[in-house]
Structures are given as C-alpha cells and as structure tokens.
Amino acid sequence: MENVDLQAFTLYWLVIWAVLGSAITPLIFDHKHRSPWRGALLGLVVGAASGQLFGRVILVLLMPVVPQLATWLSMLGGLVLLLPLWMFVKPVQQTSPAHQGFVAGTITPLTFYLLLLSVFPLAWALLLAFFDYSPRRAGGPILGLGEGNPFVGLQYFQTMISGEGRDGLIFQNSFRNTLLFTALVVPINMLITIPLAAMIESVHSFMKTVFRTIYFLPVVTSSVGVAVMWGYIYNTQYGLLNGVLSSVGIQPIGWLQDPRANLLGVPAALIAVVIAYLWQDFGYNLVIFIAALQNIPDQMKEAARVDGASPLQVFWYITLPLLRPTILVTSVLTVISSFQVFDLIQVMTQGGPGRIGQTRVLVLDIYENAFRFEKMGWAASISVVMFLVVALLTIIQTRVLRTQWEY
Amino acid sequence: MNQVLSETNSNPKPSDSMPRIAWGNVSRQTLVYVLLTAGCIITLIPFIWTIMASFKTHAEIIDPARRTFIPSNFTLNNYNTIFNDTSLPLARFYANSLFVALSNVVIHTFTSSLFGYVFAKFNFRFKRILFAYILATLMIPFQLTMIPSYLILLEFNLTNNLLGLVALSWFNAFGIFLMRQFMQSIPDELLDAARVDGASEWTIYLRIVIPQVLPALATFGVLVFISNWNAYLWPLIVLQDVETRTLPIILTWYNDRHTSDLGLQMAASILIVMPVLVVYVFLQRWVVRGFTLSGFKG
C-alpha cells in the first residue's frame, strides 16, 4: 500500500464514477419512464459513493494478492452499487411526455466537471491571492490554507501599488513592460494588417490563396521555434540583422543582451521581441480582415467609384467604416493575447537584459514566482490583477470603438 | 503584359462610368503585387535563414565574412548529430507530442460536438446560465487558473505525466460555441424523422448529426492539434522529467545545452517546426477558415 498514492486514487474513483454514473443512469431511467434528471443525480451520488467505498475495498483486498492488477481493478468500484441500481429500477406504467435522458446524461457530467475543474480552480485562484502559499509547506485542513500558509489580507495588493521591496519593484516593472508591449503591438499590428488585407483582397483569387497561405505560416509555427529563429537573427555576433547593419556601416548592436541599447528610450530588447511577436501574430488578424472584406458588398464600393471616388477615398470612406466591428473584435483579441505574451520572451530573453529586466512581462513574473520561487499566493494575486486589467481594457475598447461606430 | 496595357490605355477619361482598364489601375495592380511579394519575402526570411543555417558548418556560421543565405559548404552534420545523440531520444519526444495532441483532438472534437449539439437542439432548465458560464470562461485568462490547476494535478498525482495534459482537459469552450453555431443549421425535421423511426438520441448524434458537421469538426480538430503541438507554458509547468516532455520544451532544453552551436539549434528547431507547417500547407484552406470562424488562438 505504501507505493500507492491513495489521495490520487480517491480522486480518480470520484471523477470516473460521478461522471459515468450520471451519464448512464439517466438513459436507463428514461427507458423506464422515470425522471432522468433525478436518475442523473442519483447516479452521480451512488457512483461517487460506491467508487470511494468499493474502490478502497478492492484495493485493500487485492493488493497483497495481485499488486499489479489491484490498482486497475479498484477503478471498477463504482459498478458495485451502480449495476444493482440500473437493474432494479422498476418501470413506471405511464409514458413520460418528453425523453430527456440524453440531455440529463450529458449535461449532468458537464456541470460536475465545470464545478470541479473550472469554478473551483477559479475560486481557489481568488483565495490564493490573500494567502502566503507554497505547496511545500504544511498548511491548514482546507486547501492547505492557514497555519504554515498564513492569511496576509490585502498585503500583496498594497505591495503592487506601493512598489516596495524587490517583489513590488519587479511587479511594477513587469506591468509597465506589458503595457508598453501591448501599446506597441496593437496599433502596429492594425496598421500592417488592414492595408495588407485590402491589398490581398484586390488581387486575383489564386494569388490571394498563395499570399494568404504564406502570410499565415508564422501563426501556425510553434512560438518556441519562432523565438529560436529570431534569437539567431538578433544574435550580436552571427545574426542576420547585425550582418545587414554592418554592411551599411553600423556597429553591431546587442539586441537582446545590451541594456543600454535603445530607440527613443524604448529598450532595444523590447523592440526586438515586439517585432518577433508582430511577425508571428499578424497573419491571424490578416485572415480575419480578409474574411470581413469579402463580406462587404461590391455594390457599395462600385457606387462610390461611379461617383468619382479614388481607390484611396473608397478605402477611407467606405471600407474602413464598414470594418469597424471587425477592428473592434481584432483589437480586443490582440490586446488580450499580447497581454499574455510569455513563450517568445521566456525563450528569447528570459526577461532580460538589465537588472530588473527590460522585457520582463506579467506572465513571466507569474510563472517564475509560482513555479520557481514557489510564492504561489503572490503569483496568484498578480494573475488576479492581470485579469482585472485585461477586463477593464476590453470594456474601455468596446465603449470607445462602439460610440464611434454608432454616430 | 502590364506594359502593353499601360501604353494602350494611357489616357483614361476622368468621368468614365464604365469599368475601365486604366493606366492608373494597371500600375496600381503592379504596385500591389510588388508590395505583397515584398511582404512575403519578409515573412519567409526567418524560415529561409533558419533552414539555410541548419545546413551550414559551424565554421561558416561564426565567420562574419561569410554571412550569406546559401551555405557555401552544404552539410548534413547538424542533423546527423541530432539523430545520433543518444541523450536525445527524438522518436520518444515526437511520440509524446503526438500522443498529447491526438488525445486532445479526440476528446475535444467529441465533447465539443456533443455539447454543441445539446446546447443547439435541446431545452432544459439552467441552459442559459450554463451556456453563459461556458462563454464567460473564454474571457478568463489561462494564467488565472494555471496555479490552482497545477495544484489539482498534484493532487491527482498527474504531474510529470503526459496524461496530465490530457486527462483533465475535457472540454473546450470555443469548440462548444463553434459547434453549436453549426448544429443550429441542422433541420429539426431531420432529427424528428429519425426519432419517429425509433433511433435513440445517441444514435442520432453519431449517425446523423456528426456527418452533417464533419467538415467543421475536422477544421476544429486541426486547430486543436496545432495548438496542442505548439503549446509551451502549460507543458513546461506540468512536465519536469526530460523523458515525458513534449517537443517545444525539448527544443529549449536542447538549445540550452548547445548554446554555442547555432547550426545545431537551427536544425533542431526545423525538426520541431516543420511537421506542423507541412500539415498546414496541405490543409491551409481548412486551417485558415477555422481560425477565422472561431477566433481561436493557439
């Protein structure tokens, strides 16, 4: 028994039999004209209880005899009570009006899953933000909170606002970098993709497919691959970029290493990751804009053209206003995704260069605090703030772009 | 061809209301093609530069005087080194990535089509609340639930285990939303006819509903495959033992051990990036449509 993680098995038994019980029982109840929803609930309770009880019994009984099989057989514990339940339900002598067994048998497991693995982690994340938590320390009885992992109240949020200590300093720096990164990525992305989409839309349909395929390639490329490829381009000694620059007489720049290199006060390393990110990401908005442009009726553009509008005027006064809803959606999505940038930066710069990290962003801060320094409470509180900021930005964007669109 | 057209139509009437092949039009088209081609070259340069570097010798890469695209001494040494490295069981890592990606494709296409169907075609209590919650989870960044999810995996004893990337991700909010859109266009009469013929609901789902939405489902499946194949942050957290790792983590791990040998790094990244790109080029129409339809981001 020592080599079996009983806690994990308890969870396997629970999940497997709660799901199977609540998925199968309603079908049987439905056949026998009983309420499938009641069946789903009954199946869930009976399955979970039987799984816990008989799973344990099977494990204890068989462990000394057949240790290899015992763990697998214990997974069948739920059947012990579920089978009798299924077999001994008596049919009711009346036709039920609507067969809902299928719905009850799918929706109940889904709800169970959502409660266990979506609602619960969310609540846990919010709770963690108020505790000094590390999984290594022995904590209180509920989720390991309390005792070794004490309640700290709003302390983390105060640290973020005041920027005190190393943690606060690094957080504020990451927050600024993330904002700057997003502020650079979103407008440049829009400025590239909208005209590019309009150009692609205007060419012959075969070439349209060719261009679209090529421009979309970076989107499906692994972001780690992108980071390695661009890391080589930015390489100080052997990189392509410095090679090109040196041929026009510019001294090699330590794009990802030199904390002093900057352009208009923006660190060179941040510009470098912004460019790599734009390169990887622009194809995504591009295809959305192409699809949106295809939905704009030709008659509207034709009418403007007949009235003597130049192509640029058609684009500016007809196409662009009609694209507003799409611009809203894509800009919201781009803000959200660039706020969550991690892969590129973790691989290309690890948040460096510089003492507090010129490319250190929020997700990197969350990742390192949670999984390297095991300060999970602090990391969770950062993730809560990040979520709130993204939500706020989304609301602001929706307001701003919508009011412009409706006048 | 453009030249000829531009000469014959060099003086368009400004107020011409007919569709015209005007000089300005043609030169503009040429300009558009030139710009688009330039854009393509910029998009492709990092790929080409990487592929070419993977065939260069180490001496050539570190020689600033020979910084050209085409390798002057074409070599397969980098790839040979990787394939013969006994500390790098590459087949194992491909199998790991393939296992995770395909398992998730199977699970997510199944659950998304099933729940999409239920939400599209059935009425039940709390349906609106449940669906609203599923949509709301789309707005919640993964980073928020990442830490508790890891702690739950710890409880399940599934960290350091490929099953940890599969067993607990049963459903995909995007997938449910996407499939629901498609399911709504299936006529109710078709389903009712099958019911009158005595088909059970599961039979209807498998035999009638699934075939109707198969193209959309396949598109969604490709997206799930790509995003799982490329996933980095979550596997990085879950998989700490080298043998259980998936390809993107292996790439960074391998490169950290060969920081000075750029040719080797580039060859390794080509080996990891290329499978998805090949799949993409063959299925590009579906992939692009899937991304456009769903707003699904890897």
Side-chain angles (χ1 to χ4, degrees):
Chain A
M1 285 300 284
E2 302 84 50
N3 54 351
V4 175
D5 184 346
L6 202 62
Q7 200 177 5
F9 273 92
T10 310
L11 284 167
Y12 302 153
W13 298 326
L14 172 74
V15 172
I16 292 173
W17 290 107
V19 167
L20 287 180
S22 63
I24 299 171
T25 320
L27 296 174
I28 292 165
F29 269 54
D30 203 33
H31 270 295
K32 302 188 174 174
H33 310 298
R34 286 173 179 270
S35 161
W37 291 99
R38 195 172 296 165
L41 226 67
L42 200 63
L44 190 134
V45 173
V46 171
S50 169
Q52 293 295 305
L53 186 64
F54 290 97
R56 206 160 303 216
V57 169
I58 294 171
L59 197 64
V60 171
L61 286 181
L62 292 184
M63 205 59 192
V65 196
V66 271
Q68 298 295 317
L69 272 177
T71 49
W72 290 101
L73 284 175
S74 75
M75 299 290 177
L76 297 175
L79 275 181
V80 177
L81 288 182
L82 276 177
L83 277 179
L85 174 71
W86 295 340
M87 291 204 282
F88 297 124
V89 196
K90 290 270 186 305
V92 182
Q93 290 304 321
Q94 66 179 57
T95 48
S96 75
H99 289 283
Q100 285 273 323
F102 177 70
V103 179
T106 50
I107 290 301
T108 319
L110 176 70
T111 314
F112 174 78
Y113 172 88
L114 287 177
L115 287 175
L116 186 71
L117 293 167
S118 174
V119 177
F120 172 62
L122 208 58
W124 197 352
L126 296 179
L127 263 181
L128 275 178
F130 301 97
F131 286 87
D132 178 10
Y133 181 84
S134 160
R136 298 266 163 113
R137 290 197 293 262
I142 303 159
L143 298 175
L145 300 174
E147 294 179 26
N149 299 312
F151 178 75
V152 294
L154 293 170
Q155 187 195 311
Y156 289 143
F157 299 98
Q158 282 164 351
T159 311
M160 284 183 219
I161 293 167
S162 67
E164 278 168 10
R166 193 179 150 75
D167 280 347
L169 200 70
I170 289 178
F171 164 79
Q172 289 203 342
N173 174 53
S174 313
F175 192 77
R176 268 195 306 272
N177 286 342
T178 311
L179 280 181
L180 187 55
F181 183 86
T182 309
L184 286 171
V185 163
V186 178
I188 301 176
N189 185 311
M190 295 290 151
L191 285 177
I192 296 172
T193 49
I194 297 173
L196 205 58
M199 283 198 275
I200 291 181
E201 178 57 20
S202 73
V203 301
H204 184 266
S205 69
F206 171 74
M207 286 312 289
K208 196 190 289 180
T209 313
V210 172
F211 284 130
R212 203 182 56 182
T213 308
I214 292 174
Y215 284 130
F216 203 68
L217 267 178
V219 179
V220 293
T221 308
S222 146
S223 47
V224 176
V226 171
V228 172
M229 282 156 47
W230 280 88
Y232 180 29
I233 289 177
Y234 288 128
N235 191 298
T236 314
Q237 289 150 303
Y238 319 122
L240 178 65
L241 188 57
N242 277 345
V244 173
L245 291 180
S246 74
S247 67
V248 290
I250 297 174
Q251 287 296 309
I253 299 165
W255 287 99
L256 301 175
Q257 284 91 28
D258 186 359
R260 282 159 306 157
N262 69 80
L263 185 75
L264 304 172
V266 182
L270 193 71
I271 293 174
V273 289
V274 164
I275 291 172
Y277 186 84
L278 281 168
W279 178 83
Q280 188 195 12
D281 198 52
F282 81 99
Y284 176 75
N285 284 350
L286 185 70
V287 295
I288 294 184
F289 280 124
I290 293 174
L293 285 170
Q294 278 167 349
N295 289 335
I296 293 177
D298 277 339
Q299 295 97 303
M300 297 184 91
K301 288 187 254 180
E302 201 53 49
R305 228 169 276 146
V306 169
D307 289 346
S310 75
L312 266 182
Q313 284 173 319
V314 172
F315 177 76
W316 191 254
Y317 291 108
I318 309 288
T319 314
L320 214 49
L322 288 171
L323 275 183
R324 273 234 166 89
T326 318
I327 295 174
L328 169 65
V329 172
T330 49
S331 64
V332 166
L333 287 176
T334 312
V335 166
I336 293 175
S337 64
S338 51
F339 235 83
Q340 298 180 11
V341 64
F342 171 80
D343 306 5
L344 275 185
I345 289 176
Q346 208 259 353
V347 178
M348 280 172 76
T349 66
Q350 284 99 38
R355 203 169 49 82
I356 50 170
Q358 290 179 337
T359 59
R360 205 182 159 88
V361 284
L362 282 176
V363 181
L364 192 65
D365 208 20
I366 296 171
Y367 168 77
E368 293 206 329
N369 275 308
F371 299 104
R372 270 182 62 188
F373 311 134
E374 303 223 316
K375 289 194 274 189
M376 290 200 173
W378 168 241
S381 63
I382 299 176
S383 69
V384 169
V385 167
M386 194 184 105
F387 165 62
L388 293 177
V389 171
V390 172
L392 191 71
L393 284 178
T394 307
I395 292 168
I396 293 173
Q397 268 178 298
T398 316
R399 284 280 159 80
V400 169
L401 281 161
R402 188 174 287 163
T403 47
Q404 283 184 354
W405 181 39
E406 279 172 351
Y407 67 84
Chain B
M1 183 65 190
N2 287 343
Q3 199 58 42
V4 175
L5 283 175
S6 63
E7 274 168 16
T8 49
N9 293 292
S10 55
N11 281 316
K13 294 186 183 76
S15 60
D16 194 352
S17 63
M18 295 292 287
R20 40 195 180 162
I21 309 165
W23 183 87
N25 240 340
V26 172
S27 71
R28 198 164 51 242
Q29 274 291 47
T30 318
L31 182 68
V32 163
Y33 273 104
V34 168
L35 285 174
L36 287 177
T37 312
C40 277
I41 292 169
I42 293 171
T43 310
L44 288 176
I45 276 179
F47 288 115
I48 298 168
W49 177 245
T50 309
I51 294 171
M52 291 308 174
S54 73
F55 294 117
K56 287 178 190 168
T57 59
H58 185 61
E60 183 176 352
I61 283 178
I62 61 169
D63 184 356
R66 286 197 286 170
R67 200 146 31 186
T68 51
F69 269 88
I70 312 294
S72 51
N73 299 320
F74 184 90
T75 172
L76 284 172
N77 267 348
N78 293 321
Y79 289 96
N80 282 336
T81 312
I82 290 172
F83 287 128
N84 296 329
D85 188 342
T86 46
S87 71
L88 185 81
L90 209 57
R92 167 99 202 222
F93 299 132
Y94 274 104
N96 285 350
S97 272
L98 210 59
F99 170 78
V100 171
L102 286 180
S103 309
N104 276 309
V105 168
V106 171
I107 295 172
H108 286 177
T109 48
F110 170 67
T111 56
S112 298
S113 58
L114 180 64
F115 293 121
Y117 173 51
V118 173
F119 279 112
K121 288 297 174 187
F122 293 93
N123 278 316
F124 48 91
R125 272 181 94 183
F126 306 126
K127 174 177 162 176
R128 290 168 64 103
I129 296 175
L130 205 56
F131 195 66
Y133 179 78
I134 289 173
L135 283 188
T137 59
L138 291 175
M139 322 269 171
I140 299 166
F142 163 70
Q143 287 78 16
L144 186 57
T145 50
M146 174 172 85
I147 297 167
S149 298
Y150 171 75
L151 295 174
I152 289 174
L153 271 191
L154 270 183
E155 295 296 308
F156 275 84
N157 200 13
L158 285 176
T159 53
N160 264 331
N161 191 329
L162 287 175
L163 282 176
L165 298 182
V166 176
L168 296 187
S169 63
W170 289 359
F171 93 115
N172 182 313
F174 271 118
I176 295 178
F177 180 67
L178 178 72
M179 293 322 294
R180 178 176 159 274
Q181 305 291 94
F182 285 98
M183 303 286 186
Q184 277 173 334
S185 64
I186 299 175
D188 284 330
E189 293 77 23
L190 189 68
L191 306 176
D192 285 336
R195 276 183 201 119
V196 170
D197 289 345
S200 77
E201 291 295 338
W202 277 99
T203 316
I204 294 173
Y205 161 71
L206 289 172
R207 294 280 176 78
I208 295 171
V209 173
I210 292 284
Q212 293 273 331
V213 294
L214 209 53
L217 202 56
T219 303
F220 174 64
V222 175
L223 298 191
V224 174
F225 184 90
I226 292 175
S227 70
N228 275 289
W229 184 275
N230 291 341
Y232 181 61
L233 176 55
W234 186 230
L236 182 69
I237 293 166
V238 175
L239 309 171
Q240 271 121 28
D241 288 348
V242 170
E243 308 88 69
T244 62
R245 287 180 170 174
T246 51
L247 288 172
I249 315 172
I250 283 303
L251 179 59
T252 53
W253 170 80
Y254 187 76
N255 287 355
D256 282 344
R257 295 168 64 206
H258 300 90
T259 39
S260 58
D261 200 335
L262 283 163
L264 214 54
Q265 290 192 19
M266 294 309 123
S269 53
I270 288 299
L271 286 173
I272 280 151
V273 159
M274 276 305 145
V276 167
L277 294 195
V278 172
V279 170
Y280 161 68
V281 169
F282 281 109
L283 300 176
Q284 66 86 16
R285 192 177 295 266
W286 287 17
V287 175
V288 170
R289 194 185 57 172
F291 272 88
T292 330
L293 284 176
S294 63
F296 186 86
K297 233 165 177 181

mmCIF file of all heavy atoms in Angstrom, chain A residues 213-237:
data_model
loop_
_atom_site.group_PDB
_atom_site.id
_atom_site.type_symbol
_atom_site.label_atom_id
_atom_site.label_comp_id
_atom_site.label_asym_id
_atom_site.label_seq_id
_atom_site.Cartn_x
_atom_site.Cartn_y
_atom_site.Cartn_z
ATOM 1 N N THR A 213 -1.700 32.002 -47.655
ATOM 2 C CA THR A 213 -1.013 30.833 -47.093
ATOM 3 C C THR A 213 0.346 31.228 -46.518
ATOM 4 O O THR A 213 0.701 30.830 -45.416
ATOM 5 C CB THR A 213 -0.821 29.764 -48.175
ATOM 6 O OG1 THR A 213 -2.071 29.512 -48.784
ATOM 7 C CG2 THR A 213 -0.266 28.491 -47.588
ATOM 8 N N ILE A 214 1.098 32.032 -47.294
ATOM 9 C CA ILE A 214 2.439 32.396 -46.835
ATOM 10 C C ILE A 214 2.363 33.299 -45.603
ATOM 11 O O ILE A 214 3.040 33.065 -44.609
ATOM 12 C CB ILE A 214 3.222 33.080 -47.970
ATOM 13 C CG1 ILE A 214 3.509 32.052 -49.066
ATOM 14 C CG2 ILE A 214 4.517 33.683 -47.451
ATOM 15 C CD1 ILE A 214 4.135 32.616 -50.300
ATOM 16 N N TYR A 215 1.482 34.316 -45.663
ATOM 17 C CA TYR A 215 1.398 35.238 -44.530
ATOM 18 C C TYR A 215 0.918 34.543 -43.263
ATOM 19 O O TYR A 215 1.170 35.016 -42.155
ATOM 20 C CB TYR A 215 0.449 36.401 -44.860
ATOM 21 C CG TYR A 215 1.043 37.421 -45.787
ATOM 22 C CD1 TYR A 215 0.368 37.845 -46.916
ATOM 23 C CD2 TYR A 215 2.296 37.960 -45.522
ATOM 24 C CE1 TYR A 215 0.919 38.781 -47.771
ATOM 25 C CE2 TYR A 215 2.852 38.898 -46.366
ATOM 26 C CZ TYR A 215 2.162 39.307 -47.488
ATOM 27 O OH TYR A 215 2.708 40.226 -48.321
ATOM 28 N N PHE A 216 0.212 33.441 -43.429
ATOM 29 C CA PHE A 216 -0.336 32.768 -42.250
ATOM 30 C C PHE A 216 0.658 31.772 -41.641
ATOM 31 O O PHE A 216 0.466 31.327 -40.520
ATOM 32 C CB PHE A 216 -1.643 32.060 -42.616
ATOM 33 C CG PHE A 216 -2.542 31.815 -41.447
ATOM 34 C CD1 PHE A 216 -3.147 32.865 -40.783
ATOM 35 C CD2 PHE A 216 -2.779 30.529 -40.995
ATOM 36 C CE1 PHE A 216 -3.972 32.647 -39.697
ATOM 37 C CE2 PHE A 216 -3.598 30.298 -39.910
ATOM 38 C CZ PHE A 216 -4.199 31.366 -39.264
ATOM 39 N N LEU A 217 1.711 31.432 -42.400
ATOM 40 C CA LEU A 217 2.689 30.439 -41.917
ATOM 41 C C LEU A 217 3.174 30.701 -40.480
ATOM 42 O O LEU A 217 3.157 29.778 -39.655
ATOM 43 C CB LEU A 217 3.899 30.396 -42.845
ATOM 44 C CG LEU A 217 3.887 29.372 -43.991
ATOM 45 C CD1 LEU A 217 5.161 29.536 -44.815
ATOM 46 C CD2 LEU A 217 3.797 27.946 -43.487
ATOM 47 N N PRO A 218 3.608 31.928 -40.147
ATOM 48 C CA PRO A 218 4.129 32.128 -38.788
ATOM 49 C C PRO A 218 3.105 31.846 -37.687
ATOM 50 O O PRO A 218 3.482 31.458 -36.589
ATOM 51 C CB PRO A 218 4.529 33.610 -38.778
ATOM 52 C CG PRO A 218 4.748 33.958 -40.194
ATOM 53 C CD PRO A 218 3.760 33.141 -40.966
ATOM 54 N N VAL A 219 1.807 32.032 -37.995
ATOM 55 C CA VAL A 219 0.799 31.827 -36.956
ATOM 56 C C VAL A 219 0.783 30.380 -36.489
ATOM 57 O O VAL A 219 0.605 30.109 -35.303
ATOM 58 C CB VAL A 219 -0.603 32.245 -37.456
ATOM 59 C CG1 VAL A 219 -1.656 32.004 -36.389
ATOM 60 C CG2 VAL A 219 -0.608 33.685 -37.876
ATOM 61 N N VAL A 220 0.959 29.440 -37.421
ATOM 62 C CA VAL A 220 0.900 28.032 -37.029
ATOM 63 C C VAL A 220 2.268 27.506 -36.606
ATOM 64 O O VAL A 220 2.397 26.345 -36.247
ATOM 65 C CB VAL A 220 0.331 27.143 -38.157
ATOM 66 C CG1 VAL A 220 -1.127 27.460 -38.388
ATOM 67 C CG2 VAL A 220 1.115 27.286 -39.423
ATOM 68 N N THR A 221 3.294 28.369 -36.644
ATOM 69 C CA THR A 221 4.620 27.946 -36.202
ATOM 70 C C THR A 221 4.682 27.974 -34.682
ATOM 71 O O THR A 221 4.170 28.906 -34.061
ATOM 72 C CB THR A 221 5.685 28.890 -36.777
ATOM 73 O OG1 THR A 221 5.503 28.981 -38.178
ATOM 74 C CG2 THR A 221 7.068 28.386 -36.495
ATOM 75 N N SER A 222 5.308 26.960 -34.120
ATOM 76 C CA SER A 222 5.495 26.916 -32.665
ATOM 77 C C SER A 222 6.186 28.182 -32.185
ATOM 78 O O SER A 222 7.188 28.614 -32.763
ATOM 79 C CB SER A 222 6.333 25.684 -32.322
ATOM 80 O OG SER A 222 7.160 25.951 -31.234
ATOM 81 N N SER A 223 5.660 28.813 -31.135
ATOM 82 C CA SER A 223 6.240 30.079 -30.701
ATOM 83 C C SER A 223 7.666 29.885 -30.175
ATOM 84 O O SER A 223 8.478 30.803 -30.249
ATOM 85 C CB SER A 223 5.363 30.738 -29.641
ATOM 86 O OG SER A 223 4.990 29.815 -28.671
ATOM 87 N N VAL A 224 7.958 28.688 -29.685
ATOM 88 C CA VAL A 224 9.332 28.421 -29.274
ATOM 89 C C VAL A 224 10.242 28.405 -30.498
ATOM 90 O O VAL A 224 11.347 28.971 -30.484
ATOM 91 C CB VAL A 224 9.420 27.086 -28.515
ATOM 92 C CG1 VAL A 224 10.854 26.772 -28.174
ATOM 93 C CG2 VAL A 224 8.590 27.133 -27.263
ATOM 94 N N GLY A 225 9.764 27.793 -31.581
ATOM 95 C CA GLY A 225 10.508 27.813 -32.836
ATOM 96 C C GLY A 225 10.740 29.238 -33.310
ATOM 97 O O GLY A 225 11.852 29.599 -33.711
ATOM 98 N N VAL A 226 9.699 30.054 -33.239
ATOM 99 C CA VAL A 226 9.813 31.459 -33.635
ATOM 100 C C VAL A 226 10.881 32.147 -32.793
ATOM 101 O O VAL A 226 11.732 32.874 -33.308
ATOM 102 C CB VAL A 226 8.459 32.177 -33.476
ATOM 103 C CG1 VAL A 226 8.619 33.675 -33.675
ATOM 104 C CG2 VAL A 226 7.441 31.627 -34.448
ATOM 105 N N ALA A 227 10.847 31.894 -31.488
ATOM 106 C CA ALA A 227 11.807 32.537 -30.590
ATOM 107 C C ALA A 227 13.239 32.120 -30.935
ATOM 108 O O ALA A 227 14.146 32.960 -30.952
ATOM 109 C CB ALA A 227 11.485 32.177 -29.143
ATOM 110 N N VAL A 228 13.443 30.846 -31.253
ATOM 111 C CA VAL A 228 14.799 30.384 -31.575
ATOM 112 C C VAL A 228 15.264 31.012 -32.893
ATOM 113 O O VAL A 228 16.393 31.498 -33.009
ATOM 114 C CB VAL A 228 14.825 28.843 -31.650
ATOM 115 C CG1 VAL A 228 16.168 28.359 -32.164
ATOM 116 C CG2 VAL A 228 14.534 28.244 -30.292
ATOM 117 N N MET A 229 14.358 31.023 -33.882
ATOM 118 C CA MET A 229 14.716 31.588 -35.179
ATOM 119 C C MET A 229 15.076 33.071 -35.055
ATOM 120 O O MET A 229 16.087 33.521 -35.595
ATOM 121 C CB MET A 229 13.542 31.416 -36.155
ATOM 122 C CG MET A 229 13.464 30.006 -36.703
ATOM 123 S SD MET A 229 11.845 29.464 -37.301
ATOM 124 C CE MET A 229 11.296 30.762 -38.275
ATOM 125 N N TRP A 230 14.245 33.824 -34.354
ATOM 126 C CA TRP A 230 14.509 35.256 -34.204
ATOM 127 C C TRP A 230 15.693 35.507 -33.280
ATOM 128 O O TRP A 230 16.414 36.491 -33.455
ATOM 129 C CB TRP A 230 13.259 35.995 -33.728
ATOM 130 C CG TRP A 230 12.332 36.252 -34.857
ATOM 131 C CD1 TRP A 230 11.362 35.411 -35.315
ATOM 132 C CD2 TRP A 230 12.332 37.389 -35.729
ATOM 133 N NE1 TRP A 230 10.743 35.961 -36.408
ATOM 134 C CE2 TRP A 230 11.305 37.179 -36.685
ATOM 135 C CE3 TRP A 230 13.068 38.568 -35.799
ATOM 136 C CZ2 TRP A 230 11.026 38.107 -37.689
ATOM 137 C CZ3 TRP A 230 12.775 39.487 -36.790
ATOM 138 C CH2 TRP A 230 11.764 39.254 -37.720
ATOM 139 N N GLY A 231 15.890 34.636 -32.311
ATOM 140 C CA GLY A 231 17.062 34.772 -31.458
ATOM 141 C C GLY A 231 18.347 34.729 -32.280
ATOM 142 O O GLY A 231 19.299 35.479 -32.012
ATOM 143 N N TYR A 232 18.346 33.888 -33.301
ATOM 144 C CA TYR A 232 19.511 33.794 -34.179
ATOM 145 C C TYR A 232 19.632 35.056 -35.048
ATOM 146 O O TYR A 232 20.729 35.592 -35.243
ATOM 147 C CB TYR A 232 19.375 32.535 -35.042
ATOM 148 C CG TYR A 232 20.495 32.289 -36.008
ATOM 149 C CD1 TYR A 232 21.788 32.732 -35.764
ATOM 150 C CD2 TYR A 232 20.259 31.572 -37.182
ATOM 151 C CE1 TYR A 232 22.808 32.496 -36.655
ATOM 152 C CE2 TYR A 232 21.269 31.330 -38.072
ATOM 153 C CZ TYR A 232 22.551 31.798 -37.819
ATOM 154 O OH TYR A 232 23.547 31.562 -38.715
ATOM 155 N N ILE A 233 18.490 35.553 -35.548
ATOM 156 C CA ILE A 233 18.544 36.774 -36.366
ATOM 157 C C ILE A 233 19.104 37.940 -35.555
ATOM 158 O O ILE A 233 19.893 38.742 -36.053
ATOM 159 C CB ILE A 233 17.126 37.104 -36.901
ATOM 160 C CG1 ILE A 233 16.741 36.075 -37.959
ATOM 161 C CG2 ILE A 233 17.076 38.522 -37.473
ATOM 162 C CD1 ILE A 233 15.350 36.246 -38.500
ATOM 163 N N TYR A 234 18.727 37.995 -34.265
ATOM 164 C CA TYR A 234 19.172 39.101 -33.413
ATOM 165 C C TYR A 234 20.548 38.855 -32.796
ATOM 166 O O TYR A 234 21.046 39.712 -32.075
ATOM 167 C CB TYR A 234 18.176 39.331 -32.274
ATOM 168 C CG TYR A 234 16.875 39.944 -32.697
ATOM 169 C CD1 TYR A 234 15.662 39.365 -32.353
ATOM 170 C CD2 TYR A 234 16.839 41.120 -33.429
ATOM 171 C CE1 TYR A 234 14.468 39.927 -32.723
ATOM 172 C CE2 TYR A 234 15.654 41.694 -33.818
ATOM 173 C CZ TYR A 234 14.458 41.094 -33.454
ATOM 174 O OH TYR A 234 13.274 41.659 -33.824
ATOM 175 N N ASN A 235 21.130 37.696 -33.042
ATOM 176 C CA ASN A 235 22.407 37.359 -32.420
ATOM 177 C C ASN A 235 23.443 38.459 -32.686
ATOM 178 O O ASN A 235 23.613 38.916 -33.811
ATOM 179 C CB ASN A 235 22.899 36.022 -32.984
ATOM 180 C CG ASN A 235 24.074 35.473 -32.216
ATOM 181 O OD1 ASN A 235 25.125 36.097 -32.166
ATOM 182 N ND2 ASN A 235 23.877 34.321 -31.607
ATOM 183 N N THR A 236 24.135 38.869 -31.608
ATOM 184 C CA THR A 236 25.031 40.021 -31.731
ATOM 185 C C THR A 236 26.160 39.782 -32.724
ATOM 186 O O THR A 236 26.447 40.626 -33.570
ATOM 187 C CB THR A 236 25.636 40.358 -30.356
ATOM 188 O OG1 THR A 236 24.605 40.337 -29.385
ATOM 189 C CG2 THR A 236 26.297 41.715 -30.377
ATOM 190 N N GLN A 237 26.802 38.592 -32.630
ATOM 191 C CA GLN A 237 27.976 38.364 -33.464
ATOM 192 C C GLN A 237 27.635 37.739 -34.816
ATOM 193 O O GLN A 237 28.202 38.096 -35.837
ATOM 194 C CB GLN A 237 28.960 37.445 -32.738
ATOM 195 C CG GLN A 237 29.635 38.114 -31.583
ATOM 196 C CD GLN A 237 29.968 37.101 -30.518
ATOM 197 O OE1 GLN A 237 29.113 36.395 -29.997
ATOM 198 N NE2 GLN A 237 31.248 37.012 -30.201
#
